Amino acid sequence: MDNDRVRAGVVDEFVLNRFRVVDTPAGAIGVVRTTDGFYAVLNRCPHMGAPVCVGTDLTTSTVASRPFEYRLAHEDRVVRCPWHRWEFRVDTGESIGNTTKARLLRFPVIVEGAEVFVQYRAARGAAARVKETPQ
Amino acid sequence: MSEALIDCEYHVAAPDLQLLLPYMEKSWAARFVRSRFSLPLGREHPGGGSLTEGSSLPDPATAGAALAAGTRAALLVPHQVMPVAGWTDTLLCSVYATALNRYVREHWIPADRRFRMAIAISPHEPELAADEIDRYGEDVSAAAIVMPLLATHLGQTHYRPIFKAAARHRLPVIVHPSGREGTIVGTPVLSGMGPRHAGEYHSLIWQAAVTNIASLVYDGVFIDLPDLRVVFAGFGFEWLPGVLWHLDMEWRSLRIDIPWVTDPPSVYVARHIRIVIDDLGLTPPEASRQIANMLAEGLLMWGSNSPFATNSAAEVLDAMPEKLRAKVAFGNAAETFGSRLLTEALA
Amino acid sequence: MNGVSKVSPGVGTGLSKPVAAALSIVDCDFHPFVPLQEVIARMPARARRSVQVSSYAAVLGREHNRFLIPTGEPLRLDAVPTRGGLAGSDPAFAVADYLDRWGIAAAVMMPIQAMGVIAWAAEEVVNSYLAAMNDLFLEMWHAEDPRFKMLISVSPHDPDAAVREIERLADKPGVVGFQIPMGEIGLGSSAMFKVYAAAAHFGLPLVLHPNSVDCSLQNSPSCAGRVTRSYAEHHVLLSQPGQGAATQLVMSGALERFPTMRVVLAEFGFSWVGPMMWRMDTAWQRGGGADGLLPRPPSEYLLNQLRFTTQPYDEPGNPRDLVPILDSMQAHRTLVFSSDYPHWDTDRPDVVLRRLPVELRERVAKQTAMETFGTRLGL
Ligand code: FES
């Protein structure tokens, strides 16, 4: 069991909507506390591999509207990449506005008492397209 | 039996101002004469090039016979309207465009049952242009609208009355170079200080199409007006794939600012934009084929650019992939310009 | 790991595996900052009083609200130096975060802070501002790590001053080329010839880059049409000033006149190069005005003397579609790598190089850049 999870901190250390990035054997994973619980995603953007959990907090986006209307949506559930600003839902990993089929890789988070763990072997969602090592 | 063709760009011109004056109010006709209005030369193509030595402008009586073999319909583009982009008397521009249309309607349309009008409009006064479109809204001899570009991009609200009228009557809007881009204030600038000669103009004129395609798609014109089609003629097509990749790429990054664009921009282009190929230049035919293959099948249409043609229909079509040939020659235009184009009965 | 965690709240964690050994790369478009107070402090007192150097906003030259950046910030949000400040303002951080991480053998520094001078009227203010900035880039960046290579920024307004600045700095170690802030200046006009002659004398390539105030200030590089409404529309047209520059340089005969001159068009993309080259050749063949100036087809000058950068790298739905586009521009000799680090639209080196056809990777990563900048790269 211990081999499958990494401690990400204690609950109180988590600022709401701000990722803490932990190194795991599966790569760096961003863990974040939201108003409906913890989420964890691989800290690697499926586009070009940017550290997608670094540089911005969970944020809000816009959805389909008539031209020149801005309707806010996905309040505080949006991971916005620090590079090309692609946006994904933190809970489903899916692209906001369906701009890509690629998704964030998600991991289960377990809270035991005050301790927060991420289960790094239990990735869900499509694999990130970008590998770290060049061929 | 020659292959079926629809000619999306057949230039026609009035050889003399006298032919237009009867189609204006007397006071306006007097003003044109008094102020020595200079009728743009029909023998000069606004985007560069003129008739070769010895050849002459077609006239209505002989033009039908000069259509390429197999032509089922030809869109008459009165290119003398293009220079209005550089004129400042915007009311005069509208009066002039109206006169050109009446001239084409009365002198050309009856001459051959395959002729269809592209209604010439001046984009300076969009409400007046919309009135002009409405005048031909029910006329089956009119199958399109044609105008030059102003500096203002097509997505901006200035043009909405024109596009609304166009969509109302299901008339595609053809835009065509005016030859003034980059040099005359009020027309689109081209990047890089303005062209120093025709060669620089030809090298850069396609930029005006790119800018306006981006503006139309990103500003949601086709979301407001789903029946609208905008056709770019005379700008080439070989630059399109890279432009579509970039339109899609910026949308993936910046969609939050244009959330009404719910499909990839290239999808809107495939649905609403058409490109007339009228000149291959020195693009290698193999490259033309490869590039056409990257594009949506309904996008490209053939135009002769007659009487300034640099390629025969066969040359253009030979440079298309086999699977696209009939679409570029005929099918895409039939689809875009609709039933008016091939209706037999004309008034 | 046995549940023992290493919590890293810090920067760049996701890019933690260096690939330095695998690739050796010349980056032809890297964006560092220098502290402007320091630049201004080095200017003569009279020039310092100029309103144009009195505020950061004026130096950037941007009318801020003109087209707002949708997410508020044009820089990579993960590249903020550990010690604070703007991404790209800390040489030591950039060494670790960028050069070492990706195996960058040389990074050609394109100073965006130099660009605003396109709108300045007082020539002596422009000249002293650029001179102070040039010195500072050498002292602060090249001295920190010799992999940071210097472009001499020269005045777009005053060819004589540009020549003097080239002469002053051309032989300094670390200098690999020069740059002219882009604007509506006649790159093909004879007024520029003395600048090109000086650069040719020292073997310095010219590097051109979007001005960052494109389509904004009077005299800034224009995009076709006139005024873009949104940042998205603006950003899609970023390549147009580069297309204008390429056209001017080729069709004016400037490249014909200076056959050893090399020009790198940085961050203007590349998928338009082949198609525009065919248009140039068509116009030339038809006697469109360039025929009297160019004894050979425009494509020859373009292919021999112009170089284009990979960023922003095209992303076609079908990656194979890039192959004919790369072939048409003879990418094996015209395309060089660029990252645009630390700007938001950066390209990641290994990703871009891997997306290129195998036979192009070495050429694009390093060899063509070495041919372009020559021994000055010190590689
Ligand atoms: S790397 Fe994340 S959007 Fe490009």
Side-chain angles (χ1 to χ4, degrees):
Chain A
M1 185 65 185
D2 275 352
N3 287 335
D4 291 350
R5 65 188 206 177
V6 161
R7 181 178 172 277
V10 295
V11 172
D12 286 350
E13 287 174 329
F14 283 83
V15 177
L16 194 67
N17 300 325
R18 176 160 304 166
F19 281 103
R20 290 168 65 83
V21 178
V22 297
D23 285 336
T24 80
I29 292 176
V31 184
V32 63
R33 182 166 65 87
T34 73
T35 50
D36 62 7
F38 282 87
Y39 295 100
V41 297
L42 190 67
N43 185 27
R44 184 189 298 163
C45 180
H47 177 218
M48 277 197 188
V52 76
C53 305
V54 178
T56 47
D57 293 349
L58 289 184
T59 183
T60 300
S61 189
T62 63
V63 288
S65 57
R66 301 301 306 162
F68 306 108
E69 285 175 7
Y70 293 92
R71 219 171 319 142
L72 296 178
H74 309 291
E75 190 180 349
D76 293 340
R77 292 296 178 276
V78 177
V79 183
R80 181 181 300 144
C81 180
W83 290 15
H84 313 100
R85 308 326 197 225
W86 288 18
E87 295 178 330
F88 304 91
R89 283 281 305 196
V90 69
D91 47 359
T92 66
E94 287 172 356
S95 148
I96 307 284
N98 199 24
T99 59
T100 172
K101 298 280 167 245
R103 292 180 184 200
L104 296 179
L105 201 60
R106 293 164 298 134
F107 298 88
V109 179
I110 293 176
V111 180
E112 286 179 3
E115 301 281 297
V116 180
F117 300 91
V118 55
Q119 287 187 304
Y120 60 83
R121 280 197 212 281
R124 289 172 298 183
R129 277 193 293 140
V130 176
K131 304 257 166 37
E132 279 288 342
T133 41
Q135 61 186 57
Chain B
M1 184 77 188
S2 327
E3 64 188 315
L5 299 171
I6 292 172
D7 186 345
C8 297
E9 192 187 356
Y10 189 88
H11 290 264
V12 295
D16 196 293
L17 181 62
Q18 290 306 321
L19 289 162
L20 300 182
L21 296 179
Y23 302 118
M24 301 173 188
E25 278 178 32
K26 250 193 167 140
S27 56
W28 269 102
R31 185 170 178 239
F32 271 74
V33 173
R34 183 177 68 243
S35 57
R36 296 204 197 161
F37 174 82
S38 166
L39 182 69
L41 288 179
R43 56 180 297 116
E44 281 180 4
H45 186 277
S50 56
L51 288 184
T52 46
E53 211 62 50
S55 63
S56 57
L57 270 180
D59 64 49
T62 57
L67 291 175
T71 301
R72 304 290 168 82
L75 266 175
L76 307 186
V77 172
H79 59 277
Q80 284 161 308
V81 78
M82 299 304 158
V84 304
W87 304 348
T88 55
D89 187 336
T90 56
L91 292 176
L92 177 140
C93 295
S94 296
V95 170
Y96 170 67
T98 298
L100 271 178
N101 289 328
R102 292 184 61 188
Y103 161 76
V104 173
R105 182 67 184 84
E106 291 194 17
H107 288 253
W108 285 83
I109 294 299
D112 193 298
R113 62 185 173 74
R114 294 168 298 175
F115 287 160
R116 294 294 181 278
M117 276 175 78
I119 306 160
I121 57 167
S122 159
H124 289 295
E125 296 279 356
E127 299 288 353
L128 296 179
D131 290 347
E132 183 72 5
I133 294 166
D134 284 340
R135 243 165 251 145
Y136 294 91
E138 303 306 318
D139 186 341
V140 289
S141 67
I145 297 157
V146 65
M147 68 176 194
L149 291 165
L150 302 179
T152 304
H153 301 181
L154 289 178
Q156 291 170 11
T157 50
H158 171 89
Y159 297 97
R160 273 329 142 83
I162 293 173
F163 289 148
K164 281 186 182 157
R168 192 158 60 236
H169 300 297
R170 309 245 170 165
L171 290 166
V173 179
I174 303 173
V175 293
H176 185 283
S178 70
R180 275 67 184 163
E181 293 87 352
T183 47
I184 301 292
V185 173
T187 70
V189 301
L190 300 177
S191 204
M193 276 283 287
R196 298 150 58 98
H197 47 58
E200 292 190 9
Y201 178 86
H202 184 83
S203 302
L204 292 172
I205 181 59
W206 61 283
Q207 291 185 332
V210 175
T211 292
N212 283 286
I213 290 171
S215 172
L216 283 164
V217 174
Y218 283 1
D219 277 0
V221 174
F222 301 121
I223 295 154
D224 281 338
L225 300 169
D227 292 328
L228 181 65
R229 303 284 180 277
V230 180
V231 181
F232 288 82
F235 296 93
F237 79 105
E238 65 288 345
W239 38 267
L240 253 173
V243 169
L244 297 179
W245 302 335
H246 278 276
L247 283 171
D248 286 358
M249 196 161 105
E250 303 298 347
W251 170 75
R252 287 193 288 272
S253 289
L254 302 167
R255 185 212 59 86
I256 190 170
D257 218 34
I258 44 172
W260 46 88
V261 183
T262 51
D263 289 318
S266 57
V267 170
Y268 292 94
V269 170
R271 280 203 292 254
H272 298 281
I273 303 253
R274 300 289 176 266
I275 305 285
V276 174
I277 312 182
D278 63 3
D279 177 18
L280 294 171
L282 292 184
T283 303
E286 183 52 28
S288 286
R289 268 187 290 278
Q290 287 169 325
I291 288 168
N293 252 329
M294 298 175 198
L295 300 170
E297 293 195 348
L299 206 57
L300 303 177
M301 313 189 291
W302 168 74
S304 70
N305 202 25
S306 169
F308 310 103
T310 44
N311 294 108
S312 67
E315 283 168 340
V316 172
L317 297 171
D318 285 349
M320 291 294 114
E322 201 46 48
K323 64 166 185 171
L324 286 187
R325 185 178 180 112
K327 285 173 173 287
V328 176
F330 184 89
N332 290 343
E335 180 100 30
T336 299
F337 296 107
S339 56
R340 296 183 197 219
L341 204 59
L342 299 165
T343 309
E344 279 294 325
L346 277 189
Chain C
M1 270 216 159
N2 275 338
V4 183
S5 69
K6 194 183 115 222
V7 177
S8 326
V11 172
T13 320
L15 295 174
S16 52
K17 288 181 205 155
V19 291
L23 296 161
S24 176
I25 298 171
V26 177
D27 182 351
C28 293
D29 187 24
F30 169 87
H31 294 295
F33 288 109
V34 288
L36 278 182
Q37 326 75 276
E38 181 64 27
V39 176
I40 292 163
R42 293 174 179 219
M43 294 170 68
R46 200 159 53 97
R48 250 190 340 249
R49 282 196 299 275
S50 155
V51 288
Q52 278 142 336
V53 292
S54 62
S55 79
Y56 183 69
V59 167
L60 271 187
R62 176 176 271 142
E63 167 72 16
H64 180 84
N65 290 346
R66 188 173 167 84
F67 23 70
L68 290 167
I69 297 174
T71 54
E73 167 73 79
L75 298 171
R76 256 177 61 176
L77 304 173
D78 63 314
V80 177
T82 324
R83 288 186 295 197
L86 288 173
S89 65
D90 182 337
F93 181 84
V95 166
D97 188 50
Y98 183 62
L99 298 188
D100 289 349
R101 193 194 305 281
W102 302 115
I104 307 297
V108 177
M109 298 187 287
M110 174 55 73
I112 291 297
Q113 288 161 303
M115 300 304 190
V117 302
I118 194 66
W120 299 4
E123 287 179 352
E124 91 241 37
V125 178
V126 172
N127 296 340
S128 60
Y129 175 81
L130 293 179
M133 181 170 286
N134 285 332
D135 289 341
L136 209 50
F137 272 109
L138 276 177
E139 292 167 27
M140 182 178 157
W141 285 85
H142 179 69
E144 168 76 23
D145 192 307
R147 287 174 291 179
F148 293 122
K149 304 298 182 191
M150 169 82 185
L151 294 176
I152 307 167
S153 293
V154 303
S155 170
H157 306 299
D158 180 349
D160 290 316
V163 169
R164 284 196 302 274
E165 190 65 359
I166 287 172
E167 287 170 347
R168 186 175 76 88
L169 294 174
D171 289 331
K172 295 259 197 249
V175 168
V176 298
F178 76 113
Q179 74 102 2
I180 306 174
M182 288 271 287
E184 292 296 275
I185 53 172
L187 286 170
S189 86
S190 56
M192 296 305 297
F193 287 176
K194 61 176 71 167
V195 181
Y196 300 158
H201 173 76
F202 291 107
L204 292 172
L206 168 62
V207 185
L208 296 169
H209 186 277
N211 185 302
S212 88
V213 294
D214 311 59
C215 324
S216 282
L217 298 176
Q218 298 288 3
N219 200 37
S220 68
S222 49
C223 298
R226 198 58 188 140
V227 176
T228 50
R229 189 190 63 77
S230 64
Y231 181 81
E233 185 187 346
H234 171 69
H235 210 254
V236 109
L237 307 182
L238 208 62
S239 54
Q240 291 186 338
Q243 294 153 5
T247 300
Q248 286 185 65
L249 288 164
V250 173
M251 299 298 263
S252 69
L255 296 183
E256 152 71 20
R257 196 182 168 104
F258 295 96
T260 62
M261 180 170 164
R262 297 289 178 275
V263 184
V264 180
L265 293 166
E267 202 180 348
F268 292 112
F270 58 87
S271 48
W272 49 271
V273 173
M276 208 177 76
M277 191 176 81
W278 299 322
R279 296 185 80 81
M280 287 179 178
D281 280 359
T282 303
W284 178 80
Q285 192 203 38
R286 289 178 185 166
D291 50 314
L293 301 165
L294 307 180
R296 289 173 287 128
S299 54
E300 286 195 27
Y301 303 96
L302 182 147
L303 294 169
N304 288 336
Q305 293 175 261
L306 298 187
R307 299 293 171 257
F308 307 90
T309 63
T310 49
Q311 187 270 345
Y313 197 76
D314 293 81
E315 297 181 342
N318 179 357
R320 273 197 310 276
D321 283 349
L322 263 180
V323 174
I325 297 296
L326 290 165
D327 285 349
S328 72
M329 65 181 291
Q330 301 193 13
H332 64 278
R333 62 176 176 133
T334 61
L335 190 65
V336 293
F337 173 77
S338 69
S339 72
D340 201 32
Y341 177 94
H343 290 181
W344 73 275
D345 45 348
T346 188
D347 278 341
R348 184 169 137 163
D350 61 333
V351 170
V352 164
L353 293 170
R354 197 166 53 236
R355 285 179 188 174
L356 281 165
V358 160
E359 65 280 9
L360 288 182
R361 288 177 194 164
E362 279 290 316
R363 301 275 327 153
V364 172
K366 190 171 171 187
Q367 286 163 7
T368 301
M370 286 178 65
E371 288 158 14
T372 304
F373 292 100
T375 52
R376 286 174 175 271
L377 281 179
L379 299 177

